[in-house]
Amino acid sequence: MPDQDNVIHIEDDDARGASTPGVLRYVLAFSLLFAVIAMSLVWIIPALYG
């Protein structure tokens, strides 16, 4: 829909052609948490026995 300056404004969902449910945000959060826990275990376990 052009406005008075002939600029077309399109909603996000219309521009993408799909909705954005935000699932990727949770995948990234769990992946980051898993990486932090795994790296901590790799560092802590050898420190306990060595």
Side-chain angles (χ1 to χ4, degrees):
M1 293 181 291
D3 60 4
Q4 60 194 9
D5 296 327
N6 289 330
V7 178
I8 297 174
H9 297 279
I10 302 173
E11 295 296 323
D12 292 341
D13 289 343
D14 293 335
R16 288 187 186 105
S19 63
T20 53
V23 175
L24 184 61
R25 169 179 322 148
Y26 297 113
V27 171
L28 292 174
F30 288 128
S31 298
L32 178 62
L33 181 64
F34 177 74
V36 169
I37 290 171
M39 294 290 286
S40 297
L41 290 175
V42 166
W43 174 60
I44 291 171
I45 290 174
L48 290 175
Y49 295 111

